[in-house]
């Protein structure tokens, strides 16, 4: 058994039933990206790798939040799933940030939560960046 | 297959599928489909690109740079780790932090320890240091905005930076110069090794490197915060706009009490200046009684703009401290005991930084101001010391006769040009402002734009702190002192601020001494008091030996031997009360002193402890926690005398207050009622009259008396427009109403540790805890709890460990465990260990240069 979906890479019925936006109609029907989108196992691996790369880039610059979201969105089978993956990446960034705060010491997270505006930006920004990055799925 | 495109999304997808698969549709229509798709893709791409680009613009960029998860500067700060090893060109040293975040530094040279100390302070308090520097240099508006332009204007006109530069010019050539440079190098290394503190992320600002002049500037800030005073302008304004008698009634120079520091029976009575000088000079410079200093000319009111600007930059009236020592003859152990708690701003993080320094040859522990290397208040292996404010008068104001559009002033028989420097005040989010900095022979000229009325728009200012000073040398010598003689020698160079130093050593010696240079003002060669505005053009109030922005000889200051002091008193208690009676002292020392509420209570308690004997460190801790208010007792008399004139309902309130033991306990109902009554009584008495009499542009609150004077105003005083009882009634009604409205039950409901960060933001402010005390009790916590005991230490000068506490924590990072970990203990008058060992987790090893 391979990791290839029962549907072929050119079978866009999944995209149709996902309710994707029109851009999904013109998603590559051939080529490595299309092939990847049709292989669920590999797609998941690549998505996971994209999360790691995205977090790595986001470690150095906030633009990494957009880049990471775009990277995780691209392998998804539809525009909508791409958007969701982008937002999911943003959520991952929030979780990682909180986890690092917890690891920094007992007072760090409490202080961060008390800084409501600052913490609010740290939650809202990656989710918004996830949407922006996820839009890339609608282009490629 | 249905080709009915346009009806449903499914239909369109099907159509697309057919289109891509068969090419069935006409070419023209197919092009439309392709173009439409491209358009949609382009639109989506444009949205994504536009949103991303927007992140690089305007405030959004700042938010993302500072607060975005992972990369945001705030979170980098939260995760910041200190390198295990740091190269040092000054030799090896180790920096440890104990469970309370106290920095403990040892090294193989003093310079190595100073470098590591700079590193510790730069790591823990860099923002606080930079903020203070910005304030003193007049650079706050560059990051804060228009709200601080007035502050910047004042600090630039006072030219504190110029005074600091002159001081470094002097200190840099001494043996301490290289140590200060090592300290600064350490600060700057930490600045490079760590992400900027969270406050810089919030301000989107960066600090400049820390320099030796900045260290000197910190000294100027401390000195200004304790000795800056424009009371002479207020007195003259009050005389001009009300009448001279008002000055004597509301702002008397001396308060009637016998709780002086020197001359207390059985304790400090050994002070004995030369009697012939006392008689001669006391007559010339007497400040007792009600004489006003403007009898030779018409008083001139200071322009409200200038008066307000100056008042805003004066130290708050509550700045004060407690310190006392008990000789070994009266202690349980036979060794001397010493306690100190300076009352300063309570803020997050605290004004003090706690450290233990162990260079070769000495070990010292205590607190310093961030940005200053040595321990200012503390203890070493030989002795312990503390400071309280002496209230000495080291600032004079001058008026000038000017010409040439104010560019020249007359000085005796000659006309001199002001040294001027037009400076630009950068303002964040606003237009830059300009300010002209002027220097005169006396120091500086501070002014505000006049609007044509006959008021004083400018004033010359002489202040000892404008000269180069040796305090850095003195404090470093105190750190290394080996006993009372060393300490006394060190204090010779403690040029500013004027402080009451209490020192005790392990040989049982005690020293009380007023530090600092106090000028002997002279007019026509004769000494005069400084509680007036001098005519600078007539060369009144000259300070021989004083050179602003240069090195002073201090030939004309009160000689060291004649500064108030006593060696080996039985015990000594200082709480900012009058140092010595004018009749017992040969020089003019102070324009006024603090109300003696704490001083009287301190002497009473010390007398009782010494009478009992076997005084212990625990007794001193309990004394620091004393919450009995002499102020409340004075007002209890006012309330009792007013009782019969009050409605029945308020008489019961008065009964509750007069029966009260005057203890400001957090669970006391009466303390709550009294506290709120006092606040409203201040507003009901005096202030309404002043509001009618003074220029409308003035804040009458700047001219109201202190609570000691207020409590002493008789019922028939003109300062009660409807009589004193009416003011009491109004204040009681307002207090009861306020308490009910806020649903307060006891004092602790209203009296809490609302200790805030300068930004006043959640996460940066400390938690609120109910606490005891007031501004008038030895356990000193002001009603708004934004001022009070900024450090408490109790030092037995024997083998036992001293104990101490900070009102907050030692770490300036709000993400750290030591940001506010001592606050609760402080609020409950608990103390922690104050040992001088090098213990705790190793934070950094500093390596010598390869």
């Amino acid at each position: 058994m391979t990791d290839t979906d029962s549907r072929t890479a050119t079978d866009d019925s999944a995209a149709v039933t996902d309710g994707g936006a029109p851009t999904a109609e013109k998603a590559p029907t051939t080529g490595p990206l299309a092939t990847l989108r049709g292989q669920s196992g590999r797609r998941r691996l690549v998505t996971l790798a994209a999360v790691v790369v995205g977090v790595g880039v986001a470690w150095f610059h906030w633009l990494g939040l957009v880049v990471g979201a775009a990277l995780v969105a691209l392998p998804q089978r539809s525009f909508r799933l791409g958007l969701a993956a982008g937002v999911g990446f943003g959520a991952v960034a929030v979780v990682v940030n909180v986890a690092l705060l917890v690891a920094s010491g007992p007072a760090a997270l409490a202080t961060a939560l008390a800084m409501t505006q600052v913490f609010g930006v740290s939650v809202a920004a990656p989710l918004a960046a996830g949407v922006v990055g996820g839009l890339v799925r609608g282009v490629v | 297959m249905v080709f009915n495109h346009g009806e449903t999304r499914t239909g369109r997808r099907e159509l697309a599928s057919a289109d891509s698969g068969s090419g069935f549709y006409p070419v023209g229509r197919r092009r439309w489909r392709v173009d439409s798709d491209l358009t949609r893709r382009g639109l989506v791409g444009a949205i994504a690109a536009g949103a991303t680009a927007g992140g690089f613009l305007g405030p959004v960029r700042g938010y993302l740079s500072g607060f975005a998860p992972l990369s945001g500067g705030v979170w980098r700060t939260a995760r910041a780790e200190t390198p295990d090893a740091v190269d040092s060109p000054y030799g090896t040293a180790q920096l440890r932090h104990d469970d309370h975040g106290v920095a403990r530094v040892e090294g193989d040279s003093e310079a190595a320890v100073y470098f590591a100390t700079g590193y510790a302070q730069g790591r823990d308090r860099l923002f606080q240091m930079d903020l203070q520097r910005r304030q003193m240099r007049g650079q706050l508006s560059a990051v804060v905005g228009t709200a601080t332009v007035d502050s910047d204007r004042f600090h630039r006109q006072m030219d504190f930076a110029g005074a600091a530069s002159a001081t470094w010019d002097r200190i840099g050539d001494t043996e301490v110069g290289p140590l200060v440079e090592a300290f600064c190098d350490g600060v700057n290394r930490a600045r490079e090794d760590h992400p900027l503190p969270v406050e810089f992320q919030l301000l989107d600002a960066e600090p400049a490197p820390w320099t030796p002049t900045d260290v000197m500037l910190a000294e100027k800030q401390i000195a200004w915060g304790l000795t800056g005073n424009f009371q002479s302008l207020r007195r003259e304004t009050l005389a001009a706009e009300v009448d001279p008698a008002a000055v004597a009634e509301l702002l008397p120079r001396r308060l009637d009490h016998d709780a002086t520091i020197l001359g207390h029976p059985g304790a400090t009575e050994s002070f004995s200046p030369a009697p012939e000088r006392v008689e001669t000079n006391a007559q010339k410079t007497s400040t007792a009684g009600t004489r006003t200093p403007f009898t030779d000319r018409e008083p001139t009111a200071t322009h409200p703009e200038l008066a307000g600007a100056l008042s805003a930059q004066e130290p708050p009236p509550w700045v004060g401290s407690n310190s006392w020592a008990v000789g070994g003859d009266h202690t349980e152990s036979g060794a001397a005991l010493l306690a100190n708690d300076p009352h300063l701003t309570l803020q997050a993080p605290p004004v003090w930084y706690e450290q233990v320094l162990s260079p070769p040859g000495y070990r010292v522990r205590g607190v310093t101001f961030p940005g200053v290397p040595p321990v200012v208040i503390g203890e070493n292996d030989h002795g312990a010391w503390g400071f309280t404010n002496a209230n000495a008068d080291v600032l004079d104001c001058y008026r000038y006769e000017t010409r040439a559009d104010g560019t020249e002033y007359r000085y005796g028989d000659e006309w001199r040009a002001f040294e001027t420097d037009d400076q630009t005040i950068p303002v964040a989010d606003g237009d830059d402002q300009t300010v002209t900095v002027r220097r005169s022979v006396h120091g500086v000229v501070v002014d505000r734009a006049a609007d044509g009325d006959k008021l004083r728009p400018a004033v010359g200012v002489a202040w000892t702190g404008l000269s180069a000073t040796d305090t850095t040398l003195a404090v470093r010598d105190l750190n290394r002192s080996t006993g009372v003689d060393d300490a006394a020698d060190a204090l010779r160079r403690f040029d500013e601020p004027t402080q009451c130093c209490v020192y005790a050593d392990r040989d049982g010696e005690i020293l009380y001494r007023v530090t600092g240079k106090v000028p002997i003002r002279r007019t026509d060669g004769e000494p005069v008091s400084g509680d007036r505005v001098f005519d600078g053009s007539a060369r009144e109030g000259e300070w021989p030996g004083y050179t602003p922005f240069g090195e002073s000889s201090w030939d004309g200051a009160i000689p060291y031997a004649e500064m108030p002091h006593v060696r080996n008193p039985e015990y000594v208690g200082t709480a900012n009360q009058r140092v010595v009676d004018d009749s017992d002292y040969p020089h003019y020392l102070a324009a006024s002193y603090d109300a003696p509420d704490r001083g009287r209570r301190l002497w009473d308690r010390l007398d009782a402890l010494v009478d009992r004997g076997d005084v212990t460190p625990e007794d001193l801790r309990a004394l620091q926690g004393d919450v009995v208010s002499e102020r409340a007792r004075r007002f209890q008399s006012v309330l009792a005398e007013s009782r019969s004139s009050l409605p029945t309902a308020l008489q019961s309130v008065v009964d509750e207050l007069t029966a009260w033991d005057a203890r400001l306990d957090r669970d006391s109902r009466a303390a709550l009622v009294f506290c709120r009554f006092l606040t409203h009584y201040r507003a009901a008495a005096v202030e309404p009259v002043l509001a009618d009499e003074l220029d409308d542009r003035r804040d009458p609150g700047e001219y109201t008396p202190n609570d000691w004077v207020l409590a002493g105003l008789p019922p028939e005083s003109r300062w009660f427009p409807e009589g004193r009882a009416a003011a009491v009634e109004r204040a009681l009604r307002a207090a009861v109403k306020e308490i009910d409205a806020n649903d307060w039950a006891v004092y602790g409901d209203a009296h809490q540790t609302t200790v805030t960060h300068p930004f006043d933001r959640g996460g940066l402010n400390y938690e609120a805890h109910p606490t005891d005390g007031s501004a008038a009790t030895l356990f000193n916590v002001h009603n708004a709890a934004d001022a009070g005991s900024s450090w408490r230490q109790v030092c037995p000068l024997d083998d036992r460990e001293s104990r101490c506490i900070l009102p907050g924590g030692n770490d300036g990072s709000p993400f750290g465990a030591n940001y506010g970990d001592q606050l609760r203990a402080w609020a409950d008058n608990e103390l922690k260990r104050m040992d001088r060992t090098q213990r705790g987790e190793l934070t950094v090893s500093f390596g010598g240069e390869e």
Side-chain angles (χ1 to χ4, degrees):
Chain A
M1 185 73 180
T2 69
D3 65 351
T4 305
D5 277 0
S6 56
R7 294 174 294 233
T8 65
T10 54
D11 180 1
D12 269 330
S13 60
V16 171
T17 54
D18 283 340
T23 45
E25 301 163 12
K26 289 300 178 184
T29 54
T30 58
L33 199 53
T35 305
L36 175 65
R37 287 170 179 164
Q39 299 175 323
S40 64
R42 186 175 293 176
R43 188 175 66 241
R44 291 189 187 102
L45 280 176
V46 170
T47 300
L48 185 62
V51 168
V52 173
V53 171
V55 168
V57 178
W59 185 265
F60 296 101
H61 196 277
W62 61 262
L63 196 59
L65 298 171
V66 180
V67 172
L71 288 177
V72 299
L74 282 174
Q76 308 312 315
R77 293 197 308 270
S78 72
F79 176 62
R80 240 179 221 193
L81 285 174
L83 271 182
V87 173
F89 173 78
V92 168
V94 173
V95 169
V96 172
N97 196 47
V98 168
L100 289 171
L101 279 173
V102 171
S104 299
L109 181 60
T111 298
L113 291 172
M115 300 168 70
T116 49
Q117 290 175 318
V118 172
F119 191 75
V121 171
S122 80
V123 173
L127 299 180
V131 172
V132 173
L135 287 175
V136 172
R137 176 60 182 85
V139 179
V140 181
Chain B
M1 185 163 286
V2 178
F3 299 129
N4 184 15
H5 62 84
E7 287 185 8
T8 65
R9 287 182 176 181
T10 304
R12 282 201 292 273
R13 288 193 191 96
E14 289 168 345
L15 174 64
S17 176
D19 179 36
S20 59
S22 67
F24 181 85
Y25 281 100
V27 171
R29 175 164 242 179
R30 189 171 162 193
R31 273 190 186 149
W32 180 87
R33 291 290 305 166
V34 170
D35 288 348
S36 173
D37 187 66
L38 282 175
T39 300
R40 285 192 292 267
R41 287 170 186 268
L43 183 60
V44 170
I47 291 171
T52 304
F56 286 97
L57 302 174
V60 177
R61 182 185 62 174
Y63 288 136
L64 291 173
S65 299
F67 315 144
L70 307 178
S71 68
V74 169
W75 315 119
R76 286 182 182 278
T77 301
R79 298 191 302 264
E81 291 189 3
T82 299
D84 295 334
V86 171
D87 287 338
S88 165
Y90 299 98
T92 60
Q94 291 79 45
L95 166 64
R96 290 180 166 79
H97 285 85
D98 64 21
D99 291 344
H100 289 290
V102 177
R104 296 169 183 263
V105 184
E106 63 180 337
D108 65 5
S109 72
E110 200 170 12
V113 167
Y114 269 56
F115 177 84
T117 303
Y119 194 92
Q121 293 190 20
R123 169 187 180 270
D124 294 339
R125 298 290 188 95
L126 186 60
F127 175 74
Q128 187 179 9
M129 292 160 61
D130 186 60
L131 188 68
Q132 292 167 177
R133 172 173 58 179
R134 282 189 173 280
Q135 180 185 16
M136 290 301 285
R137 289 187 179 278
Q139 298 173 340
L140 277 178
S141 302
V143 292
V144 174
T146 56
T148 53
V149 167
D150 261 1
S151 170
D152 284 350
R153 190 179 297 279
F154 171 81
H155 286 89
R156 285 171 185 261
Q157 289 201 315
M158 282 296 296
D159 202 2
F160 293 114
S165 181
T167 298
W168 174 241
D169 286 346
R170 178 175 171 81
I171 299 296
D173 293 334
T174 70
E175 63 176 345
V176 176
L179 299 179
V180 172
E181 289 175 329
F183 172 84
C184 294
D185 286 348
V187 172
N188 292 323
R189 178 64 66 82
R191 175 175 158 269
E192 295 166 5
D193 283 354
H194 297 84
L196 290 176
V198 62
E199 293 93 335
F200 288 111
Q201 315 292 342
L202 296 172
L203 280 179
D204 197 17
E206 288 189 15
W210 195 252
T211 68
T213 303
D214 295 326
V215 176
M216 306 299 124
L217 194 59
E219 176 193 314
K220 300 300 171 190
Q221 182 186 33
I222 299 156
W224 179 258
L226 294 167
T227 63
N229 190 308
F230 295 107
Q231 184 80 323
S232 59
L233 294 176
R234 269 190 297 277
R235 290 177 193 275
E236 190 166 336
T237 297
L238 198 57
E241 295 194 353
V242 184
D243 54 54
V247 181
E249 292 169 25
L250 301 182
L251 305 176
R253 284 161 293 174
R254 294 294 180 267
L255 304 176
D256 183 21
H257 67 86
D258 58 1
T260 53
I261 296 171
L262 294 177
H264 187 73
T268 56
E269 57 194 347
S270 55
F271 177 69
S272 54
E276 69 282 0
R277 295 202 55 174
V278 172
E279 186 177 351
T280 304
N281 290 305
Q283 289 169 351
K284 291 175 181 172
T285 64
S286 171
T287 54
T290 58
R291 179 179 63 84
T292 57
F294 344 100
T295 50
D296 57 340
R297 58 182 168 82
E298 283 297 309
T300 303
T302 302
H303 194 284
E305 290 286 328
L306 178 61
L310 297 180
S311 294
Q313 303 304 330
E314 282 183 287
W318 43 255
V319 165
S321 308
N322 304 322
S323 190
W324 53 82
V326 179
D329 290 346
H330 308 287
T331 64
E332 181 187 45
S333 67
L337 298 172
L338 179 142
N340 182 213
D341 61 297
H343 310 157
L344 301 171
T345 302
L346 299 180
Q347 62 180 39
V351 296
W352 296 104
Y353 183 78
E354 191 175 359
Q355 58 188 26
V356 184
L357 309 184
S358 301
Y362 68 94
R363 292 189 307 169
V364 61
R365 173 172 182 159
V367 284
T368 185
F369 294 96
V372 175
V375 166
V376 175
I377 292 175
E379 177 184 30
N380 65 13
D381 289 349
H382 301 276
W385 62 93
F387 294 103
T388 58
N389 203 18
N391 289 306
D393 186 356
V394 296
L395 182 150
D396 278 339
C397 295
Y398 300 84
R399 59 193 174 92
Y400 298 115
E401 183 181 335
T402 61
R403 70 177 187 185
D405 288 335
T407 60
E408 296 180 359
Y409 65 104
R410 185 173 69 81
Y411 182 61
D413 296 330
E414 58 182 297
W415 287 90
R416 295 187 178 190
F418 290 110
E419 292 178 47
T420 61
D421 179 24
D422 293 328
Q423 299 182 5
T424 299
I425 302 174
V427 181
D429 305 324
D431 296 333
D432 290 352
Q433 304 286 311
T434 58
V435 59
T436 300
V437 179
R438 286 191 288 173
R439 290 183 180 179
S440 72
V441 65
H442 298 104
V444 296
V445 176
V446 183
D447 64 8
R448 285 295 182 274
D451 56 4
D453 45 21
K454 300 293 184 185
L455 298 168
R456 176 181 293 129
V459 62
V461 179
W463 178 54
T464 51
L466 293 179
S467 169
T469 46
D470 283 348
T471 301
T472 300
L473 308 180
V475 176
R476 186 250 188 168
D477 284 349
L478 265 180
N479 284 209
R480 302 191 308 164
S481 60
T482 58
V484 69
D485 292 329
D486 257 8
D489 279 346
L491 295 178
R492 284 180 183 276
R493 297 199 280 188
F494 201 106
D495 293 339
E496 65 170 348
T498 40
Q499 295 286 287
C500 293
C501 178
V502 177
Y503 177 91
D505 71 16
R506 295 180 200 286
D507 294 327
E509 300 261 5
I510 293 177
L511 171 68
Y512 164 82
R513 171 171 277 283
V514 176
T515 68
K517 297 292 189 281
V518 179
I520 301 175
R521 291 87 166 163
R522 294 184 182 274
T523 299
D524 298 328
E526 294 298 315
V528 293
S529 60
D531 55 348
R532 68 194 68 190
V533 178
F534 290 114
D535 185 342
S537 292
R539 302 193 63 165
E540 291 180 355
E542 296 278 283
W543 292 12
Y546 157 75
T547 305
F549 308 106
E551 296 193 12
S552 298
S553 69
W554 302 115
D555 288 344
I558 298 176
Y560 177 79
E562 296 180 16
M563 288 294 285
H565 67 281
V566 60
R567 178 86 174 253
N568 288 327
E570 295 296 316
Y571 53 103
V572 59
T574 78
N576 314 113
Q577 75 271 41
R578 189 163 64 247
V579 171
V580 58
D581 283 332
D582 297 320
S583 58
D584 292 340
Y585 191 64
H587 304 287
Y588 166 80
L589 184 66
S592 61
Y593 296 96
D594 285 8
D597 301 304
R598 286 179 292 110
R600 282 172 28 140
R601 179 65 183 169
L602 177 57
W603 276 130
D604 286 349
R605 288 291 309 272
L606 283 174
D607 291 346
L609 283 172
V610 168
D611 283 347
R612 189 202 71 191
D614 293 339
V615 181
T616 67
E618 177 58 23
D619 288 329
L620 299 202
R621 188 195 69 82
L623 188 49
Q624 285 185 332
D626 187 275
V627 295
V628 171
S629 171
E630 293 287 336
R631 176 175 68 179
R633 287 177 171 166
R634 279 174 67 79
F635 278 100
Q636 282 176 324
S637 299
V638 172
L639 288 161
E641 290 167 15
S642 305
R643 183 183 184 281
S644 61
S645 304
L646 300 175
T648 306
L650 291 180
Q651 285 183 355
S652 62
V653 178
V654 169
D655 291 341
E656 180 188 6
L657 290 177
T658 52
W660 169 50
D661 59 5
R663 290 178 56 86
L664 276 298
D665 287 314
R666 68 189 72 178
D667 57 356
S668 166
R669 170 79 181 179
L672 169 67
V673 177
F674 170 74
C675 171
R676 302 321 306 161
F677 158 76
L678 181 57
T679 299
H680 294 293
Y681 186 69
R682 291 188 190 117
V686 183
E687 200 165 316
V689 181
L690 285 177
D692 287 342
E693 304 257 355
L694 293 171
D695 188 310
D696 291 344
R697 295 168 293 179
R698 296 189 193 284
D699 174 7
E702 293 176 7
Y703 301 85
T704 51
N706 65 36
D707 291 335
W708 176 277
V709 174
L710 184 62
L713 291 176
E716 67 279 8
S717 167
R718 62 169 163 160
W719 302 106
F720 301 110
E722 300 168 8
R724 191 176 70 176
V728 168
E729 180 178 343
R730 185 174 297 119
L732 283 172
R733 287 189 188 283
V736 170
K737 183 178 179 183
E738 181 187 25
I739 289 168
D740 289 345
N742 288 284
D743 203 21
W744 290 328
V746 292
Y747 187 49
D749 293 338
H751 187 64
Q752 304 200 348
T753 59
T754 48
V755 181
T756 59
H757 184 277
F759 290 0
D760 195 15
R761 294 177 75 126
L764 301 181
N765 295 339
Y766 286 155
E767 293 179 358
H769 301 297
T771 188
D772 311 307
S774 75
T777 59
L778 293 172
F779 188 77
N780 202 262
V781 185
H782 293 229
N783 282 333
D786 55 357
S789 299
S790 58
W791 161 255
R792 295 191 192 108
Q793 67 178 33
V794 173
C795 304
L797 278 304
D798 51 30
D799 294 337
R800 287 173 290 183
E801 273 184 6
S802 298
R803 299 182 69 77
C804 63
I805 201 75
L806 277 175
N810 213 39
D811 188 354
S813 170
F815 298 106
N818 300 122
Y819 183 63
D821 58 323
Q822 300 177 56
L823 184 64
R824 174 63 71 96
W826 173 88
D828 294 339
N829 194 32
E830 296 171 2
L831 302 173
K832 70 178 195 297
R833 294 177 63 190
M834 190 179 163
D835 63 292
R836 297 183 299 284
T837 58
Q838 289 297 323
R839 63 179 174 85
E841 188 176 342
L842 181 63
T843 310
V844 186
S845 285
F846 297 91
E849 202 166 35
E850 293 293 327

